[in-house]
Structures are given as structure tokens and as C-alpha cells.
Amino acid sequence: MDSATLHEEIHSFFESAPPLKESAKITDKLNRFIHFDSPSPGKGRRVVCVTSGGTTVPLEQRCVRYIDNFSSGHRGAASTEYFIKAGYKVILLYRRGTCQPYCSSLPEDPLLECFELADDSDFRVRQSHSEAVKGAIMNHHAAVAGGLLLKLPFTTIFEYLQMLRIIASSMKSLEYHAMFYLAAAVSDFYVPWKSMAEHKIQSASGPLDMRLMQVPKMLSVLRTEWSPSAFCISFKLETDSKILLEKANMALKKYKMHSVVANELLTRKEEVTVVTENGNISVRRDKTRPGSEVEDPLVELLVKKHSTYINDAIAQDL
Ligand code: 9Z3
């Protein structure tokens, strides 16, 4: 596809999308977070936008049904913790209801399982969960109060791409210190808002025949226009290992990514392959350490690559 057609498709995607609620408030939050809300603000501070969870594609404007993309949000939540540990400020663009940073040791329904009634009018943390709850609250509080974590939720593909565009524009001025870590599972197909049924589609009308349009690939405009100096990592998910690396390599070249993290659905928590221009690097979870996560060595590797990228950019500027 030539660049004029892609731009036209992107333009029409955003033109026809329902307006993003509170976009001015989001922009304001982002600008404060990126430039001010930190004990040591400034251009040298590294900021990463981590995207996490799957986008939905509504089938009706007053949405009753939608198509969903698989992602628990674990990759994004765990990676956020490791980026913060490495000194980054993290903008976490996450799907509502998916895994959150610092919550992995809490039960699935924390409110009901972590607390118990003390008497008729009061409640307390259950003894068995008190360490986990304390740890989660302290870590989360330290990250937010220290100006290191800003969480922004999305649900639909429209919200996700509109928010990604706003975030990228806000991060543009950070130049090489910005990073995008695009772990969200993004829909490839969608129903344009204007051709979408307003009300619930009726089953009495017989089998449903629906045409889905292709979501324009925004990765290349993110790289070339929205935030052209940022270090960009995208993810490639496949269920067939035979095509995974080839597809990741294609994405690397087509969208000019700095690395593509290739993962297979079934083994994604054990190993990933970081595909780069200079070859592939396999990254595995350290099985000898109980509770270790593949995101730990993955983020470590990407942080090193980002450092090299920044140093090269500074050397070129001199
Ligand atoms: C991934 O590949 C993520 O690693 C997972 C993480 C979604 C598998 P979980 O959230 O899983 O921990 O359960 N994300 C990217 C998937 C994606 O949609 N990539 C696009 C593609 O493959 C490119 S942007 O075409």
C-alpha cells in the first residue's frame, strides 16, 4: 500500500471514530506526568509507553456484542514493574479489567477474598493475605506518588488508537528518551462507526452477514510521524511456530521497528525471541528461580538496547 492510501485510511478511521471522552483531560494528565510530576523531571528522563490487554471491536453503537482480542494483560503489567525498577517513568495504556502492576500475588477477587468483617461496622485484611496486600499497596503507592506510573484505561479499538496517538504526540518532545513497548493485542478488523448498527442487532433477522474493514496499521505512522525519534518495540503473536519468526521479521522491516518481540501463545510465559536487524535473541524465564518471569530478562535486554540507541543518537548529534 502506498503512503497516500495509508494516510487516507488512517484519516478516515479517526474521522469516523466516536470522539474520545475527556481527551483534553488525558492530554493534560500526560503533559503533567511527562514533564512535571516527578522529583527529577527533565528531558533526560526515560519514559516508556507500555500497552497491554486486548482491544474490542463493537458490533453495535449501543454495544451489546463485541469481538475481543486475547490478552490477559500479564505481560504489560509485569513489564511495567520491571521498567519502573530500571528507572523509567511508565505510561500504562491498558484494557479495563486486565492484570495490573503489583497485583500478581493478590487473589483474583481481592476485595472479597483479602478482607473480612471485623465486626458489624468494620473490616480488616485477612491475616493470610496481609503481606501480599501490604506489598501491593506500598509498591503501587510508591510508583504513583513518585511520578513513575500513569495508568490510562481503554476498551475499544477506537479508544486505544486515539489514546496511543495522544500519548505519542505528548512523548514526541522526549525524542530518543521515549520508548514504546506495544504488548497490547490489537484488532486487525473492525466495523466503522458510521456503518455500525445503532441498536442491538436482532436475531430474528436471520444469520448475521457482516463486513469487517481492516484496521489501518498505525505502527508506521507512530514511527515516522507521531513520535519519530522514539525507540519502538512491537510484539508479534502467532499460534503456529513455523511462521512466527518470518512474520516478526516482516513486521520489523515493514514498520521500521527497532525490535519485534516474537511469542507463541502457548509458550509466551516461558520464552520469547527478540528479533532485530542484527539477528535474533532468545530470552527465557530463569526456571531455577521460583516465581521468575520472562519479562525480567526481556526488559533488561530492551533497556540495554535503548541505552545504546540513546548513546548512538547523542554521538550523531555531536
Ligand atoms: C503480544 O504478543 C503479547 O505478548 C501477548 C501477551 C498478548 C501474547 P498476556 O497479555 O499475553 O500476558 O496474556 N502482544 C501483541 C499481539 C498483537 O496484536 N500484535 C500485532 C500482530 O501480531 C502487532 S501490533 O499483528
Side-chain angles (χ1 to χ4, degrees):
M1 180 190 297
D2 63 48
S3 136
T5 319
L6 177 66
H7 276 86
E8 223 166 83
E9 282 189 6
I10 291 176
H11 180 76
S12 98
F13 178 91
F14 284 124
E15 273 293 288
S16 69
L20 181 67
K21 285 189 196 115
E22 304 195 314
S23 76
K25 211 167 147 186
I26 294 171
T27 307
D28 186 50
K29 263 190 192 175
L30 277 163
N31 286 331
R32 270 189 290 122
F33 177 77
I34 292 170
H35 301 291
F36 304 110
D37 281 355
S38 153
S40 53
K43 218 176 163 189
R45 188 76 196 230
R46 294 192 198 179
V47 180
V48 59
C49 169
V50 173
T51 69
S52 181
T55 58
T56 68
V57 170
L59 300 186
E60 298 121 344
Q61 288 182 352
R62 301 188 190 195
C63 183
V64 176
R65 304 184 187 91
Y66 57 85
I67 301 171
D68 208 348
N69 252 56
F70 167 81
S71 167
S72 67
H74 177 271
R75 174 89 77 224
S79 305
T80 294
E81 295 180 26
Y82 293 112
F83 275 118
I84 289 175
K85 238 189 204 167
Y88 280 69
K89 284 164 80 96
V90 179
I91 297 162
L92 176 62
L93 180 59
Y94 72 96
R95 164 77 178 276
R96 280 187 187 83
T98 55
C99 295
Q100 294 297 298
Y102 308 115
C103 292
S104 58
S105 52
L106 299 181
E108 245 179 59
D109 202 343
L111 212 55
L112 297 178
E113 288 171 47
C114 286
F115 298 97
E116 60 188 2
L117 287 174
D119 55 48
D120 274 357
S121 60
D122 211 358
F123 64 89
R124 64 181 169 223
V125 178
R126 265 183 218 276
Q127 186 61 36
S128 53
H129 285 109
S130 73
E131 282 308 307
V133 172
K134 212 159 84 184
I137 293 174
M138 277 168 54
N139 286 327
H140 183 259
H141 179 81
V144 174
L148 298 176
L149 177 60
L150 176 67
K151 297 202 289 185
L152 298 172
F154 68 84
T155 303
T156 67
I157 180 73
F158 302 112
E159 288 171 340
Y160 173 81
L161 287 173
Q162 291 181 94
M163 289 171 88
L164 185 63
R165 183 171 62 163
I166 296 177
I167 294 169
S169 307
S170 308
M171 286 171 68
K172 193 173 184 177
S173 61
L174 296 168
E175 298 182 344
Y176 308 104
H177 296 97
M179 189 200 288
F180 286 85
Y181 179 90
L182 304 165
V186 183
S187 323
D188 283 324
F189 305 102
Y190 78 116
V191 185
W193 190 254
K194 289 195 173 131
S195 60
M196 198 184 293
E198 181 185 352
H199 293 284
K200 185 181 166 208
I201 298 165
Q202 295 300 309
S203 60
S205 320
L208 183 59
D209 198 358
M210 199 167 230
R211 190 176 160 80
L212 300 177
M213 301 284 287
Q214 236 171 336
V215 174
K217 290 287 180 195
M218 309 270 177
L219 289 182
S220 47
V221 281
L222 169 70
R223 270 291 286 124
T224 53
E225 290 168 33
W226 296 351
S227 213
S229 305
F231 189 62
C232 272
I233 315 296
S234 71
F235 280 69
K236 180 49 95 184
L237 173 67
E238 292 295 342
T239 52
D240 180 354
S241 60
K242 291 196 279 302
I243 59 168
L244 177 63
L245 293 181
E246 187 193 324
K247 297 288 290 264
N249 247 303
M250 275 166 58
L252 183 79
K253 296 198 176 87
K254 191 165 173 194
Y255 306 121
K256 302 188 177 71
M257 290 291 115
H258 295 101
S259 298
V260 175
V261 181
N263 59 168
E264 225 188 295
L265 189 64
L266 291 180
T267 56
R268 70 189 191 284
K269 293 195 173 185
E270 296 300 318
E271 64 169 316
V272 299
T273 305
V274 178
V275 174
T276 73
E277 238 185 4
N278 305 318
N280 301 346
I281 305 162
S282 169
V283 179
R284 288 167 198 272
R285 182 175 81 80
D286 178 0
K287 286 191 184 133
T288 62
R289 264 195 318 122
S292 72
E293 298 173 301
V294 68
E295 288 79 9
D296 187 354
L298 172 62
V299 168
E300 191 184 329
L301 173 72
L302 294 174
V303 166
K304 276 193 195 136
K305 286 192 170 296
H306 191 198
S307 300
T308 310
Y309 176 74
I310 293 171
N311 291 337
D312 289 352
I314 291 172
Q316 268 176 26
D317 279 353
L318 290 178

